[in-house]
């Protein structure tokens, strides 16, 4: 990789410059994103647990804040089995800052979500730099993670899957450090990272399983001394279990029973809605096995997919050459770890028939590992010296193709802003909005309302949406004066505007006269229909 030195500046300049620019972009754009239909529930999850903890340790805090008056008790709350390691601290900061207006506290949550995901990118950079012993490859991987359109957008409002991906990356980073040198200090850091990841999403339990399995194999292969590894492993397991319970109030009354219940609920998630897949509406619990792999394939940039295939083939070749050994050396061990984390969860979803929906967002946590395997594939392509081209020209060609591909991704992200979440690659084919869900988060409702308010100056406007689309949250994101002008009509007969993001209804609507259609990246997101015959609002 020494040839890359002419293209990238010194580490002390390039790395801070990249992360500083990324942080600045986030701080400048986090208010651009609408609210997703899930964010109200996520906030409630945090508030319920915060109320429960505060009532036990600081009851005056709850008594003085009337926001808690309408918050349910944890014991009777339907979603009490959700992890709250991110949600509860977020709600604590919200209440300490007295953010009472919904537009303020939802935007504050967007900022916190971005900062958590920013930490995940830092951890990913460290993982890449350590694996390849080259900060430039670590930085390239961090660029790929940032230039993943859907993940970039969701790092502002997806406080479940994107945040879990970030904490999973952080825990993977501490895990690799612990596996390479299992000291007591590294055991404690890895235990904390794993506990937080598990208490964000219980799927994080794969991390302790992977940690124990790989440490045992390393010891059996003679890579580690048992006398040093076993005590550190014991400390790691004890502290992880303790912190998982401490950071998850739902577990306090019955740690083991409640944990098992939460895990079983995760395997058979309680959502029986429909999703649009390959042109058909299907019940989420009855989706074909290829749903998640297909969604992953059509929403990941082709550069990364191609490099992942190369990297996976390289690692499989290593495994075949090693015969009875899974790896030889620390770098190969990391390769096997990353491939396992990228592939095993997908296979588990297929085998267990787990409920997934809204694309592959429940599997976002595998994405950093997928990109690390892809980096290995890119390195393989870089180091290959074909006979039909001089080595220097080949390396220049690889850099050129990589740069053009990344530049095209940047172009599409800028063009689609703030709807990078509707990115599809060429594998998705044509007529995408009639074959796959597009704006399933409902983010476009805010822009639709803003358009109506800008063109219709009346003091009271009656709007209706399709059933269960989260319009109320988008109304709350408007300034208070504009918010007061919107009235959500109980029936279509009483409404003046019908607005929709086409979820569960990919075909055209016949309601009224379409006055506006919102698009992003060439895809239809949202339509606004005028329902009143014989009169239209004055613009």
């Amino acid at each position: 990789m020494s040839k890359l030195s002419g293209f990238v500046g010194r580490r002390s300049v390039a790395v801070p410059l990249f992360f500083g620019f990324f942080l600045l972009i986030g701080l400048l754009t986090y208010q651009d994103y609408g609210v997703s239909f899930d964010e109200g529930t996520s906030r409630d999850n945090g508030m319920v647990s915060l109320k429960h903890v505060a009532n036990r340790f600081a009851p005056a805090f709850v008594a003085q804040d009337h926001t808690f008056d309408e918050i349910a008790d944890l014991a009777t709350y339907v979603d009490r089995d959700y992890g709250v390691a991110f949600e509860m601290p977020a709600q604590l900061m919200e209440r300490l800052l007295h953010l009472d207006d919904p537009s303020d506290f939802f935007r504050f949550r967007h900022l916190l979500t971005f900062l958590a995901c920013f930490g995940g990118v830092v951890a990913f950079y460290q993982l890449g730099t350590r694996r390849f012993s080259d900060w430039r490859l670590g930085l390239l991987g961090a660029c790929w993670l940032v230039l993943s359109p859907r993940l970039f957008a969701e790092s502002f409002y997806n406080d479940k899957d994107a945040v879990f991906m970030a904490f999973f990356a952080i825990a993977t980073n501490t895990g690799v450090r612990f596996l390479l040198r299992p000291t007591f200090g590294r055991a404690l850091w890895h235990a904390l990272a794993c506990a937080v990841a598990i208490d964000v999403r219980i799927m994080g339990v794969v991390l302790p399983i992977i940690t124990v399995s790989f440490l045992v194999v390393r010891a059996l292969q003679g890579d580690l001394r048992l006398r040093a590894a076993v005590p550190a492993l014991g400390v790691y397991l004890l502290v992880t279990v303790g912190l998982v319970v401490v950071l998850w109030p739902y577990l306090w009354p019955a740690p083991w029973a409640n944990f098992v219940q939460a895990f079983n609920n995760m395997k058979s998630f309680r959502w029986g809605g429909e999703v649009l897949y390959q042109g058909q509406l299907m019940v989420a619990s009855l989706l074909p096995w290829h749903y998640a792999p297909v969604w992953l394939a059509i929403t990941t940039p082709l550069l990364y997919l191609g490099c992942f295939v190369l990297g996976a083939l390289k690692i499989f070749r290593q495994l075949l050459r090693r015969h009875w050994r899974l790896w030889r050396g620390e770098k190969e061990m990391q390769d096997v770890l990353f491939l396992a984390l990228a592939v095993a969860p997908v296979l588990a979803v297929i085998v267990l028939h787990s409920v997934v929906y809204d694309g592959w967002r429940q599997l976002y946590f595998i994405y950093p590992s997928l990109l690390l395997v892809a980096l290995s594939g890119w390195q393989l392509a870089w180091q290959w010296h074909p006979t039909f081209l001089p080595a220097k020209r080949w390396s220049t060609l690889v850099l050129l193709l990589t740069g053009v591909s990344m530049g095209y991704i940047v172009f599409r992200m800028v063009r689609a802003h703030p709807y990078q979440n509707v990115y599809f690659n060429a594998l998705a084919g044509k007529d995408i909005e009639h074959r796959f869900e597009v704006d399933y988060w409902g983010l476009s409702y805010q822009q639709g309302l803003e358009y109506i308010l800008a063109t219709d100056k009346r003091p009271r406007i009656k709007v209706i949406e399709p059933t269960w689309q989260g319009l109320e949250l988008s109304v709350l994101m408007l300034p208070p004066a504009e918010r007061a002008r919107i009235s959500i009509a109980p029936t279509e007969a009483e409404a003046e505007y019908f607005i929709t993001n086409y979820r569960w209804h990919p075909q055209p609507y016949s309601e009224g006269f379409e006055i506006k259609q919102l698009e992003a990246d060439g895809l239809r997101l949202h339509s606004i229909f005028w329902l009143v015959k014989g009169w239209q609002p004055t613009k």
Side-chain angles (χ1 to χ4, degrees):
M1 294 297 296
S2 59
K3 298 177 183 179
L4 280 176
S5 58
F7 297 91
V8 185
R10 293 173 54 194
R11 177 176 186 169
S12 59
V13 175
V15 175
L17 186 64
F18 168 79
F19 282 103
F21 183 69
F22 177 39
L23 180 62
L24 180 63
I25 290 294
L27 295 177
L28 292 176
T29 61
Y30 78 91
Q31 298 190 63
D32 296 348
Y33 293 87
V35 63
S36 69
F37 70 82
D38 241 8
E39 288 182 78
T41 300
S42 296
R43 179 177 179 272
D44 289 343
N45 294 343
M47 288 292 287
V48 168
S49 289
L50 178 61
K51 177 182 177 180
H52 178 79
V53 174
N55 270 329
R56 174 172 292 193
F57 298 105
F61 178 74
V62 176
Q64 294 169 4
D65 190 338
H66 295 293
T67 305
F68 289 103
D69 293 348
E70 298 181 358
I71 300 300
D73 293 329
L74 181 62
T76 58
Y77 183 56
V78 64
D79 289 328
R80 58 188 177 275
D81 56 343
Y82 272 68
V84 290
F86 174 78
E87 301 297 346
M88 192 165 63
Q91 292 314 118
L92 176 61
M93 285 186 276
E94 174 199 304
R95 300 323 308 147
L96 291 175
L97 293 172
H98 302 289
L99 300 177
D100 297 319
D101 189 84
S103 63
D104 290 335
F105 60 63
F106 277 125
R107 288 192 172 92
F108 179 67
R109 289 177 61 85
H110 289 185
L111 175 60
L112 294 180
T113 301
F114 168 73
L115 292 176
C117 293
F118 178 86
V121 177
V122 173
F124 180 86
Y125 162 76
Q126 294 174 344
L127 280 163
T129 299
R130 181 187 302 110
R131 160 57 186 90
F132 298 102
S133 302
D134 194 320
W135 64 270
R136 290 163 295 188
L137 271 172
L139 195 60
L140 176 64
C143 285
W144 286 4
L145 184 54
V146 173
L147 297 182
S148 298
R150 284 180 174 259
L151 270 299
F152 179 85
E154 298 200 24
S155 66
F156 292 95
Y157 55 81
N158 188 344
D159 47 29
K160 291 181 179 178
D161 313 291
V163 167
F164 178 53
M165 182 192 74
F167 284 114
F168 198 91
I170 293 169
T172 303
N173 186 36
T174 60
V176 171
R177 292 181 71 248
F178 179 62
L179 288 172
L180 293 177
R181 191 157 65 91
T183 64
F184 288 111
R186 294 185 177 192
L188 293 175
W189 280 114
H190 187 41
L192 175 61
C194 286
V196 172
I198 292 169
D199 287 356
V200 170
R201 270 261 168 103
I202 199 169
M203 191 62 185
V205 295
V206 303
L207 287 164
I209 295 172
I210 287 286
T211 298
V212 173
S213 301
F214 273 65
L215 201 64
V216 169
V217 173
R218 290 206 77 200
L220 293 176
Q221 291 190 165
D223 299 335
L224 296 172
R225 290 188 306 156
L226 282 175
R227 186 174 297 179
V230 171
L233 180 61
V235 168
Y236 161 71
L237 291 174
L238 286 174
V239 175
T240 299
V241 171
L243 288 176
V244 166
V245 176
V246 168
L247 298 176
W248 195 348
Y250 167 68
L251 301 182
W252 292 356
W256 177 249
N258 285 358
F259 186 86
V260 171
Q261 182 64 49
F263 187 80
N264 289 334
N265 290 344
M266 179 273 297
K267 287 195 301 181
S268 302
F269 188 69
R270 50 182 178 270
W271 195 77
E274 292 183 323
V275 297
L276 179 64
Y277 180 60
Q278 296 187 350
Q280 298 182 16
L281 285 170
M282 302 180 181
V283 177
S285 59
L286 299 176
L287 287 169
W289 68 267
H290 46 76
Y291 176 81
V294 167
W295 262 96
L296 191 157
I298 64 177
T299 58
T300 301
L302 293 177
L303 169 66
Y304 313 158
L305 286 177
C307 289
F308 172 78
V309 171
L310 282 178
L313 291 175
K314 172 188 172 183
I315 296 169
F316 278 122
R317 183 168 177 251
Q318 286 175 181
L319 290 170
L320 291 174
R321 294 175 62 184
R322 294 294 173 239
H323 301 296
W324 60 273
R325 291 181 68 95
L326 285 174
W327 58 75
R328 182 165 295 162
E330 295 177 346
K331 294 186 183 302
E332 289 188 10
M333 184 271 291
Q334 293 175 68
D335 286 340
V336 175
L337 172 67
F338 300 145
L339 184 62
L341 289 175
V343 174
V346 179
L347 295 178
V349 165
I350 294 172
V351 172
L352 298 174
H353 303 287
S354 299
V355 176
V356 292
Y357 55 93
D358 295 344
W360 58 289
R361 66 183 183 91
Q362 290 87 2
L363 289 169
Y364 281 171
F365 69 95
I366 74 171
Y367 193 62
S369 296
L370 184 150
L371 289 184
L372 287 164
V373 175
L375 277 178
S376 185
W378 189 92
Q379 184 188 48
L380 179 66
W382 166 267
Q383 293 174 340
W384 185 49
H385 295 154
T387 56
F388 57 85
L389 273 181
K392 187 174 182 179
R393 288 190 179 181
W394 174 255
S395 60
T396 301
L397 179 62
V398 171
L399 283 177
L400 180 62
L401 291 175
T402 302
V404 169
S405 297
M406 293 171 66
Y408 178 63
I409 295 169
V410 171
F411 166 74
R412 290 189 60 180
M413 290 175 68
V414 172
R415 183 179 66 175
H417 183 77
Y419 300 110
Q420 295 92 347
N421 59 296
V422 302
Y423 170 87
F424 288 89
N425 63 33
L427 297 178
K430 299 180 180 180
D431 197 26
I432 293 172
E433 58 263 45
H434 293 102
R435 295 170 50 239
F436 299 99
E437 302 281 3
V438 181
D439 180 29
Y440 50 73
W441 286 115
L443 300 171
S444 58
Y445 277 107
Q446 182 178 335
Q447 187 179 352
L449 291 170
E450 290 170 346
Y451 175 84
I452 292 172
L453 290 167
T455 56
D456 189 337
K457 299 301 182 181
R458 292 176 300 152
R460 199 70 172 168
I461 299 169
K462 299 177 182 179
V463 181
I464 196 169
E465 56 168 340
T467 304
W468 197 74
Q469 293 291 301
L471 176 61
E472 293 86 352
L473 292 179
S474 294
V475 172
L476 294 176
M477 292 293 284
L478 300 170
E482 297 290 81
R483 191 186 308 160
R485 295 175 57 202
I486 295 291
S487 173
I488 300 178
T491 66
E492 192 173 309
E494 301 174 72
E496 299 162 328
Y497 291 94
F498 175 80
I499 61 177
T500 178
N501 65 341
Y502 290 94
R503 185 164 195 192
W504 301 307
H505 194 293
Q507 63 270 30
Y509 280 89
S510 59
E511 283 84 347
F513 174 71
E514 185 176 19
I515 61 174
K516 181 68 175 178
Q517 185 173 111
L518 305 179
E519 296 183 349
D521 204 25
L523 297 176
R524 178 197 66 190
L525 294 182
H526 189 95
S527 285
I528 303 172
F529 297 88
W530 175 251
L531 299 177
V532 182
K533 295 181 180 180
W535 181 83
Q536 290 190 22
T538 302
K539 295 185 179 181

